[in-house]
Amino acid sequence: METTIHVTEKVRLRNPVMIEGLPGIGNVGRVAAGYMINELKMKKFAELYSPHFLPLVILGTDAVASLLKCEFYYYKSPKLDIVVLTGDTQSISPHGHYEICDKVVHFAKAIGVKEIITLGGFAEGKEVDEPRIVGAVNIKKLLKKYEKSGIDFGKDHPVGTIVGASGLLIGLGRTHGIDGLCLMGETYGMPLMTDPKAADRVLHTLSSVLGIKLDLSRLERIIKEMEERIRKTDKIHKKMLSELVKQGKDDQVRYIG
Amino acid sequence: METTIHVTEKVRLRNPVMIEGLPGIGNVGRVAAGYMINELKMKKFAELYSPHFLPLVILGTDAVASLLKCEFYYYKSPKLDIVVLTGDTQSISPHGHYEICDKVVHFAKAIGVKEIITLGGFAEGKEVDEPRIVGAVNIKKLLKKYEKSGIDFGKDHPVGTIVGASGLLIGLGRTHGIDGLCLMGETYGMPLMTDPKAADRVLHTLSSVLGIKLDLSRLERIIKEMEERIRKTDKIHKKMLSELVKQGKDDQVRYIG
Amino acid sequence: METTIHVTEKVRLRNPVMIEGLPGIGNVGRVAAGYMINELKMKKFAELYSPHFLPLVILGTDAVASLLKCEFYYYKSPKLDIVVLTGDTQSISPHGHYEICDKVVHFAKAIGVKEIITLGGFAEGKEVDEPRIVGAVNIKKLLKKYEKSGIDFGKDHPVGTIVGASGLLIGLGRTHGIDGLCLMGETYGMPLMTDPKAADRVLHTLSSVLGIKLDLSRLERIIKEMEERIRKTDKIHKKMLSELVKQGKDDQVRYIG
Amino acid sequence: METTIHVTEKVRLRNPVMIEGLPGIGNVGRVAAGYMINELKMKKFAELYSPHFLPLVILGTDAVASLLKCEFYYYKSPKLDIVVLTGDTQSISPHGHYEICDKVVHFAKAIGVKEIITLGGFAEGKEVDEPRIVGAVNIKKLLKKYEKSGIDFGKDHPVGTIVGASGLLIGLGRTHGIDGLCLMGETYGMPLMTDPKAADRVLHTLSSVLGIKLDLSRLERIIKEMEERIRKTDKIHKKMLSELVKQGKDDQVRYIG
């Protein structure tokens, strides 16, 4: 069995931007992606299954079991088409990360994606009052494009490495000619504690980068609604994250997403 | 070498129900499946070998060695055709679970299976006097179909995840349009201690779900007869289960099968 | 890169018996195979390389480096053709054992092998004065064929499982219609201590089973000559064996070869 | 996703010698390779990506992220064409080493390489005042070719095994008819401490072996300039090396490169 993307709705998109928000430090990326899907009333059009996820099914409160999966949502507007990639988990094996991200990048290319923006948390290891947004790009010219967006490109935060999908998607994207930006919200770094403040800041920067309006007033309420599923899958993320951390642990690897 | 299913007898079945009972917590699924095979005088028609099993052969008391394997049995009746999947072991690697279950689901589809029922134990971590049957489905409509079967669909037992073949078979089955039901008998949760009471309850519910009569009076005697082989392979299961538990360990993952 | 068998000399054999003697407990199989190759002046005709061996090269005393490998030797006589499989190591991963043994069995089939005899040590965990030969077969009819060869087929030694190549080769051989016999010499079970007595007993039984004469008087001297290389690669075997033991460790799994 | 070599510039070379210098003990090979690239003003013509590297991207000081990779550089002169293989990392899995080195050897063959020279450090486990160069070859005839080069071919240093790319490249090279020489500079053996003295000695021997002149006076300065990147990726190497050491650890396996 290989990592597979099932397209459930054929949809024609015009050079969409792809936003990735998978589980990670502070759940920042995932919560931000979930909020966007909710606010923009995005529709699911594809699912990704992988043998590199934990070998289990999750049960909803109604006892309906489903495979661990990632999901692709789309949003069409006259101004901008957007694809969001979110999901239950990331790979539990190092080479699985490469396989999954490689499939995603090929899929992105096939649907015309010109830029991938990955979202995550940047673990400070201490309480953060006003989270800043730390960024990375996959080609120099983007630094100029985003210089006025308030993103800290390493001036105050010398990030050494980005572990997992948020890193590999922009790294592999480059080899396929797709531009990549990674936005990381400063957070305490407790894997199992969702950080709404960091997600709020990431969404704020993202909406400015995309040039769309996102009403963030409902974020805390929506996060509460997401809590049931988050609580359940956080148990799974804990395992997945401990693998990720094992893979990238050192004093410079504080970002995982 | 890939996971391979060798068909040893070509047999035409009419939309059979596939029952899975592989080694797991309390050996509930495996013992229940073994009893069905015995009671219904089912015949073996296929074997599954996999490089994701432990790299060893088991010796019978006659010093005849055989590869670890899973086996498919069939039962034909005017009313209902049944296929039972049982075996010595499950995968020892996470992605091996996906590979094996994916092969089984493709095979199920090829022989016309419309529904998969997986059997297992639900670890309570304490003595259980009157084991209940906890269930999960892979599509909502089945909850209605089975609402009068006495299965607890999460009301008293909020199951979070189902690890291993019993979970993946119904999860992957869904992506191939095959309905899935998982029946778990409450048990103490000692991996190496076969629990006849839980197996009895699972078989009771299963016979009612299938609408067939199963005389359960011989269960304890048959379990005793199975003991020699069970004792031998339990050593192997111990290793396999410790892997499964490592993959799914947390306070919500109490079911493994 | 896949496990590959390089044929270095094309040779036509008439239904040869294949003897396997790879590193394992007490080095019994490897030393016995090495002695046969030496005594029968067998010639190498194929080599096996695998990505499932340790990722290193071994240096001879002349600083010439070579990949870890297994080797196939042949012996032709009017009465009987023999192929011996020996080598530096076994797989370090569980599924690697399956891949390597599967390649060997396909190769055996291609060159007309009708029977595989695997050699190894049976760890007693205590000093053994007069090592007996414990045996296993892969089909019942062979028990009759070998009933007068003095092999203990589990009467005194109930062997539970056989881990590694000696087990898998006869297990996989069965699925390809190749008969299989495993001969294990009782030994203390110290992985890094070559046991000449057990090797002597295994060779004694093997020569009787094959119906050939083997002068065993030079065994101890030849073992001394093999010592340099054995000492060097024993370091590697230690790692490989600790993997094998981890995979099969329990009170019934005392045989590894 | 497979290990892939992307050719970025098509270049015709005449029987080039390939020099490998990847991260390892004392960073000897990598620093020596880096210095050669710098001194000979070599140009990059290919990149290698692999799913067997750590699943992360590295960020430069300008916040530009890039995948972990190896790189091929070339140098053309009337007298001799040279290809240098260097990079951020080696495989983190045992079979990944085989896959990557197999791809490199196939690539080497395709571009006409007749000889591979691998560079590394030989861990003495103690302070080394005047590092000697310990060598290994992949075919006996090379011992004669290099007998006057001052390389110690195991007389004083009986090397048992060479772990990782420096070993596998010459081992696999042999099976493709490519000659191989491994040069190891004696060093303390601290993985994370670059050893300029050993790199100097390796470069000295290498220039004599290649018959080219290399001005080594800038070595210490260049190493300082490389320090920023080395410091960053050393964190990654630490993880990779601990894997390598785990794979080859014993009193004879002191060389890793």
Side-chain angles (χ1 to χ4, degrees):
Chain A
M1 182 189 172
E2 288 204 349
T3 300
T4 316
I5 296 173
H6 292 278
V7 174
T8 53
E9 183 196 332
K10 286 221 168 148
V11 51
R12 187 178 297 248
L13 302 165
R14 282 158 312 132
N15 297 345
V17 174
M18 180 182 279
I19 315 292
E20 172 266 336
L22 288 168
I25 291 288
N27 259 325
V28 177
R30 191 193 196 196
V31 163
Y35 191 73
M36 269 192 77
I37 291 165
N38 197 69
E39 278 300 293
L40 300 179
K41 296 181 178 46
M42 297 179 79
K43 286 167 67 185
K44 183 158 77 169
F45 72 108
E47 292 179 342
L48 179 152
Y49 300 99
S50 176
H52 301 291
F53 295 157
L54 278 167
L56 49 79
V57 290
I58 313 180
L59 271 61
T61 46
D62 54 2
V64 175
S66 54
L67 291 173
L68 291 176
K69 62 176 177 292
C70 294
E71 299 176 314
F72 296 86
Y73 291 81
Y74 73 91
Y75 164 80
K76 281 174 77 76
S77 78
K79 202 181 138 207
L80 179 71
D81 287 2
I82 300 174
V83 168
V84 168
L85 164 63
T86 188
D88 299 316
T89 184
Q90 294 196 30
S91 168
I92 56 166
S93 71
H95 74 277
H97 279 293
Y98 278 97
E99 185 183 308
I100 292 167
C101 291
D102 189 55
K103 294 272 180 188
V104 169
V105 168
H106 275 91
F107 181 63
K109 183 124 186 152
I111 60 174
V113 169
K114 288 288 178 289
E115 181 163 6
I116 297 177
I117 301 177
T118 61
L119 311 179
F122 180 82
E124 284 294 342
K126 61 179 185 202
E127 207 67 53
V128 180
D129 274 340
E130 304 204 7
R132 273 171 305 181
I133 298 303
V134 184
V137 294
N138 72 358
I139 193 166
K140 204 158 187 172
K141 65 169 191 195
L142 293 179
L143 292 174
K144 186 145 190 73
K145 179 175 174 186
Y146 293 124
E147 70 184 348
K148 292 189 177 149
S149 56
I151 303 164
D152 175 359
F153 284 111
K155 205 149 276 178
D156 297 322
H157 285 271
V159 180
T161 57
I162 303 173
V163 180
S166 290
L168 288 188
L169 284 177
I170 64 170
L172 289 165
R174 185 73 272 135
T175 69
H176 288 77
I178 301 176
D179 288 349
L181 169 69
C182 176
L183 299 178
M184 301 168 259
E186 285 184 312
T187 180
Y188 189 101
M190 304 273 286
L192 298 188
M193 188 107 64
T194 297
D195 181 346
K197 264 195 300 187
D200 178 276
R201 283 301 86 196
V202 162
L203 284 168
H204 189 83
T205 302
L206 180 63
S207 71
S208 134
V209 156
L210 294 175
I212 59 169
K213 270 188 84 165
L214 270 180
D215 177 357
L216 298 177
S217 64
R218 283 179 291 270
L219 181 58
E220 297 234 13
R221 184 166 60 73
I222 297 294
I223 286 178
K224 279 216 180 62
E225 285 174 28
M226 292 168 83
E227 243 169 23
E228 169 61 25
R229 178 113 181 154
I230 285 174
R231 192 182 49 77
K232 207 168 257 172
T233 50
D234 268 356
K235 303 286 170 55
I236 294 161
H237 304 155
K238 198 158 125 189
K239 291 186 58 63
M240 180 203 74
L241 276 170
S242 74
E243 282 302 316
L244 269 179
V245 168
K246 232 172 53 194
Q247 288 157 27
K249 190 72 178 180
D250 67 51
D251 56 357
Q252 287 211 346
V253 181
R254 290 181 292 177
Y255 173 73
I256 290 167
Chain B
M1 183 187 172
E2 287 204 350
T3 300
T4 316
I5 296 173
H6 291 278
V7 174
T8 53
E9 183 195 332
K10 286 222 168 148
V11 51
R12 188 178 296 248
L13 302 164
R14 283 158 312 133
N15 297 345
V17 174
M18 180 182 279
I19 316 292
E20 172 267 335
L22 288 169
I25 290 288
N27 258 325
V28 176
R30 191 191 196 199
V31 164
Y35 191 73
M36 270 193 79
I37 291 166
N38 198 67
E39 278 299 293
L40 299 180
K41 295 180 181 46
M42 297 178 81
K43 286 166 67 187
K44 183 158 77 168
F45 72 109
E47 292 179 342
L48 179 151
Y49 300 99
S50 176
H52 301 291
F53 295 158
L54 278 167
L56 49 79
V57 289
I58 313 180
L59 271 61
T61 46
D62 53 2
V64 176
S66 54
L67 291 174
L68 292 175
K69 62 177 177 289
C70 294
E71 300 176 314
F72 295 86
Y73 291 81
Y74 72 92
Y75 164 79
K76 282 175 76 77
S77 79
K79 202 180 138 209
L80 179 71
D81 287 1
I82 300 174
V83 168
V84 169
L85 164 62
T86 188
D88 298 316
T89 184
Q90 294 196 30
S91 167
I92 56 166
S93 71
H95 73 278
H97 279 292
Y98 277 97
E99 185 183 307
I100 292 167
C101 291
D102 189 55
K103 294 272 179 187
V104 169
V105 168
H106 275 91
F107 181 64
K109 183 122 186 155
I111 60 173
V113 169
K114 289 288 180 289
E115 181 163 6
I116 296 176
I117 302 178
T118 61
L119 311 179
F122 179 82
E124 284 294 343
K126 60 178 187 201
E127 208 66 54
V128 180
D129 274 340
E130 304 204 6
R132 274 171 302 181
I133 298 302
V134 184
V137 293
N138 72 358
I139 193 165
K140 204 157 187 172
K141 65 169 191 196
L142 294 178
L143 292 173
K144 185 145 192 73
K145 179 175 174 187
Y146 293 123
E147 70 184 349
K148 290 188 177 152
S149 56
I151 303 163
D152 174 359
F153 283 111
K155 203 150 278 179
D156 298 322
H157 285 271
V159 180
T161 57
I162 303 174
V163 180
S166 290
L168 288 188
L169 284 177
I170 64 170
L172 289 165
R174 185 73 272 136
T175 68
H176 288 78
I178 301 176
D179 287 350
L181 170 68
C182 175
L183 298 178
M184 300 169 260
E186 285 183 311
T187 180
Y188 189 100
M190 304 273 286
L192 297 188
M193 188 106 65
T194 297
D195 181 346
K197 264 196 301 188
D200 179 276
R201 283 303 85 197
V202 162
L203 283 167
H204 189 84
T205 302
L206 180 63
S207 70
S208 132
V209 157
L210 294 175
I212 59 169
K213 269 189 86 164
L214 269 180
D215 177 357
L216 298 178
S217 63
R218 282 179 293 269
L219 181 58
E220 297 235 12
R221 183 165 60 75
I222 297 293
I223 287 178
K224 278 214 181 63
E225 285 173 28
M226 292 168 82
E227 242 169 27
E228 169 60 25
R229 178 115 181 148
I230 284 174
R231 192 182 49 77
K232 207 168 259 171
T233 49
D234 267 356
K235 302 285 169 55
I236 294 162
H237 304 156
K238 197 157 126 189
K239 291 185 59 64
M240 180 204 74
L241 276 171
S242 74
E243 282 301 316
L244 269 178
V245 168
K246 232 171 55 193
Q247 288 156 28
K249 189 72 179 177
D250 69 52
D251 56 357
Q252 288 212 348
V253 180
R254 289 182 292 177
Y255 173 72
I256 290 169
Chain C
M1 181 187 173
E2 287 204 349
T3 300
T4 316
I5 296 174
H6 292 278
V7 175
T8 53
E9 183 195 332
K10 285 222 167 149
V11 51
R12 186 178 298 247
L13 302 165
R14 283 159 312 133
N15 297 344
V17 174
M18 180 182 279
I19 316 293
E20 171 267 335
L22 288 169
I25 290 288
N27 258 326
V28 176
R30 192 192 195 199
V31 163
Y35 191 73
M36 270 193 78
I37 291 166
N38 198 68
E39 278 300 292
L40 301 180
K41 296 180 180 45
M42 298 179 78
K43 286 166 68 186
K44 183 158 79 168
F45 72 108
E47 292 179 342
L48 180 152
Y49 300 99
S50 177
H52 301 291
F53 296 156
L54 278 167
L56 48 79
V57 290
I58 313 180
L59 270 61
T61 47
D62 54 3
V64 176
S66 54
L67 290 173
L68 292 176
K69 61 175 176 293
C70 294
E71 300 175 314
F72 295 86
Y73 290 81
Y74 73 91
Y75 164 80
K76 282 175 76 78
S77 79
K79 204 180 136 205
L80 178 71
D81 287 2
I82 300 174
V83 168
V84 169
L85 165 63
T86 188
D88 298 316
T89 184
Q90 294 195 32
S91 167
I92 56 166
S93 72
H95 74 277
H97 279 293
Y98 278 97
E99 185 184 307
I100 292 168
C101 291
D102 189 55
K103 294 272 179 185
V104 169
V105 168
H106 275 90
F107 181 63
K109 183 124 186 155
I111 60 173
V113 169
K114 288 289 179 288
E115 181 163 6
I116 296 175
I117 302 179
T118 60
L119 311 179
F122 179 81
E124 284 294 344
K126 60 177 187 205
E127 207 67 53
V128 179
D129 274 339
E130 304 203 7
R132 273 170 304 181
I133 297 303
V134 184
V137 293
N138 72 359
I139 194 164
K140 203 158 190 172
K141 66 168 192 197
L142 293 179
L143 292 174
K144 187 146 191 71
K145 179 176 174 186
Y146 293 123
E147 71 185 346
K148 290 187 178 152
S149 56
I151 303 163
D152 175 358
F153 283 112
K155 202 149 279 178
D156 297 322
H157 285 271
V159 180
T161 56
I162 303 174
V163 181
S166 289
L168 288 188
L169 284 177
I170 64 170
L172 289 165
R174 184 74 272 135
T175 67
H176 287 78
I178 301 176
D179 288 350
L181 169 68
C182 176
L183 298 178
M184 299 168 260
E186 285 183 312
T187 180
Y188 189 101
M190 304 271 286
L192 297 188
M193 188 107 64
T194 296
D195 182 346
K197 265 195 300 187
D200 179 276
R201 284 302 83 197
V202 162
L203 283 167
H204 189 84
T205 302
L206 180 63
S207 70
S208 133
V209 157
L210 294 175
I212 59 168
K213 270 188 84 162
L214 269 181
D215 177 358
L216 298 178
S217 64
R218 282 179 292 269
L219 181 58
E220 297 235 13
R221 184 165 60 76
I222 297 294
I223 287 178
K224 278 214 180 66
E225 285 173 27
M226 293 169 81
E227 242 170 26
E228 168 62 26
R229 177 112 182 154
I230 284 174
R231 191 181 50 77
K232 205 168 260 170
T233 51
D234 268 357
K235 303 285 168 55
I236 294 162
H237 304 155
K238 199 158 126 186
K239 291 185 58 64
M240 179 203 75
L241 277 169
S242 73
E243 281 302 314
L244 270 177
V245 168
K246 233 172 53 193
Q247 289 157 26
K249 189 72 178 178
D250 69 50
D251 56 357
Q252 288 212 346
V253 180
R254 287 182 293 176
Y255 174 73
I256 290 168
Chain D
M1 183 188 172
E2 288 204 349
T3 300
T4 316
I5 297 173
H6 291 279
V7 175
T8 53
E9 182 195 332
K10 286 221 167 148
V11 51
R12 187 178 296 248
L13 302 165
R14 283 158 313 134
N15 297 344
V17 174
M18 180 182 277
I19 316 292
E20 171 266 335
L22 288 169
I25 290 289
N27 258 325
V28 177
R30 191 194 196 197
V31 163
Y35 191 73
M36 270 192 79
I37 292 165
N38 198 68
E39 278 299 293
L40 300 179
K41 296 180 180 47
M42 297 178 80
K43 286 166 68 185
K44 183 158 78 167
F45 72 108
E47 292 180 342
L48 179 152
Y49 300 99
S50 176
H52 302 290
F53 296 156
L54 279 167
L56 49 79
V57 290
I58 312 180
L59 270 61
T61 46
D62 54 2
V64 176
S66 54
L67 291 173
L68 291 176
K69 61 175 176 294
C70 295
E71 300 176 314
F72 295 87
Y73 289 81
Y74 73 91
Y75 164 80
K76 282 174 76 77
S77 78
K79 203 181 136 206
L80 178 72
D81 286 2
I82 300 174
V83 168
V84 169
L85 165 63
T86 189
D88 299 316
T89 184
Q90 294 195 31
S91 167
I92 56 166
S93 73
H95 74 278
H97 279 292
Y98 277 98
E99 185 183 307
I100 291 168
C101 291
D102 189 56
K103 294 273 180 187
V104 169
V105 168
H106 275 91
F107 181 63
K109 182 124 185 154
I111 60 173
V113 169
K114 288 289 178 288
E115 181 163 6
I116 297 176
I117 302 178
T118 60
L119 311 179
F122 180 82
E124 284 294 343
K126 60 179 186 202
E127 207 67 54
V128 179
D129 274 340
E130 304 203 9
R132 273 172 303 181
I133 297 303
V134 184
V137 293
N138 72 358
I139 193 165
K140 205 158 187 173
K141 65 169 191 194
L142 293 179
L143 292 174
K144 187 146 190 70
K145 179 176 174 186
Y146 294 123
E147 71 185 346
K148 291 188 177 150
S149 56
I151 303 164
D152 175 359
F153 283 111
K155 205 149 275 177
D156 297 322
H157 285 270
V159 180
T161 56
I162 303 174
V163 181
S166 289
L168 288 187
L169 284 177
I170 64 170
L172 289 165
R174 184 74 272 135
T175 68
H176 288 77
I178 301 176
D179 288 349
L181 169 69
C182 176
L183 298 178
M184 300 168 258
E186 286 183 312
T187 180
Y188 189 101
M190 304 271 287
L192 297 188
M193 188 107 64
T194 297
D195 181 347
K197 264 195 299 186
D200 178 276
R201 284 301 86 197
V202 162
L203 283 168
H204 189 83
T205 302
L206 181 62
S207 71
S208 134
V209 156
L210 294 175
I212 59 167
K213 270 188 85 164
L214 268 181
D215 177 357
L216 298 178
S217 64
R218 283 179 291 269
L219 182 58
E220 297 235 12
R221 184 167 58 75
I222 297 295
I223 287 178
K224 278 213 181 67
E225 284 174 28
M226 292 169 81
E227 243 168 25
E228 168 61 27
R229 178 109 180 156
I230 284 174
R231 192 181 51 75
K232 206 168 257 171
T233 50
D234 267 357
K235 303 286 169 53
I236 293 162
H237 304 155
K238 200 158 125 188
K239 292 186 57 63
M240 180 204 73
L241 277 170
S242 74
E243 281 302 315
L244 270 178
V245 169
K246 233 173 52 194
Q247 288 156 26
K249 189 72 178 177
D250 67 54
D251 56 356
Q252 287 212 347
V253 180
R254 288 181 293 177
Y255 174 72
I256 290 167

